[in-house]
Amino acid sequence: MSLTDKGLNEKGLTGKFLNDIEGHLLLAATREEGRTAAARFSTPLRWLTDAQRGEVERRFEAEYLALARVSWQHTAERAGRLRDEYEATYRDLRRRLLAAWLLTCAVALGVLVVCLA
């Protein structure tokens, strides 16, 4: 672990820093995908002037990014709901396991008391 990593970990910034980098890379990749899709879309439209083609590609890319953003938001919301569901299930399971363990201990103690009596 480098000194930079250690300093970031001590301040609790590593996760946020890595998330920011990941977000930036994801956005850059999506923009590139949008540009590529826009160029592919406008290529058959041969009657457009260069300025018109540029405008169509710019709008297509903007719409592509907007749709990606909405998709990411839906994914994040769904992930949050799933996390809440899994946490609730985990808490319920822990509660049931604790109850079963306490019941087992109580039965074992009862059997021990009866055997010793």
Side-chain angles (χ1 to χ4, degrees):
M1 179 180 287
S2 70
L3 291 175
T4 305
D5 292 339
K6 187 175 181 181
L8 289 173
N9 278 334
E10 288 174 358
K11 296 176 184 175
L13 298 176
T14 301
K16 181 176 178 1
F17 180 69
L18 292 177
N19 284 341
D20 288 347
I21 289 174
E22 184 181 19
H24 175 72
L25 292 174
L26 181 62
L27 182 58
T30 303
R31 283 188 179 179
E32 185 58 34
E33 289 173 6
R35 283 187 205 105
T36 302
R40 208 171 38 245
F41 176 78
S42 67
T43 298
L45 307 176
R46 300 188 195 288
W47 62 87
L48 295 175
T49 64
D50 288 341
Q52 291 171 329
R53 179 177 284 105
E55 179 66 16
V56 166
E57 289 178 4
R58 187 191 63 73
R59 287 183 182 206
F60 188 101
E61 180 187 348
E63 186 64 25
Y64 189 91
L65 286 173
L67 290 171
R69 184 174 291 117
V70 168
S71 175
W72 295 337
Q73 288 171 342
H74 287 301
T75 301
E77 290 167 3
R78 178 67 179 142
R81 287 192 304 269
L82 283 174
R83 183 181 53 245
D84 292 343
E85 289 175 25
Y86 286 133
E87 286 175 354
T89 301
Y90 178 72
R91 280 191 304 273
D92 186 47
L93 179 61
R94 279 184 30 197
R95 217 177 355 255
R96 284 191 274 152
L97 286 172
L98 178 62
W101 184 78
L102 289 174
L103 180 63
T104 301
C105 288
V107 168
L109 183 63
V111 168
L112 183 64
V113 167
V114 169
C115 288
L116 293 177

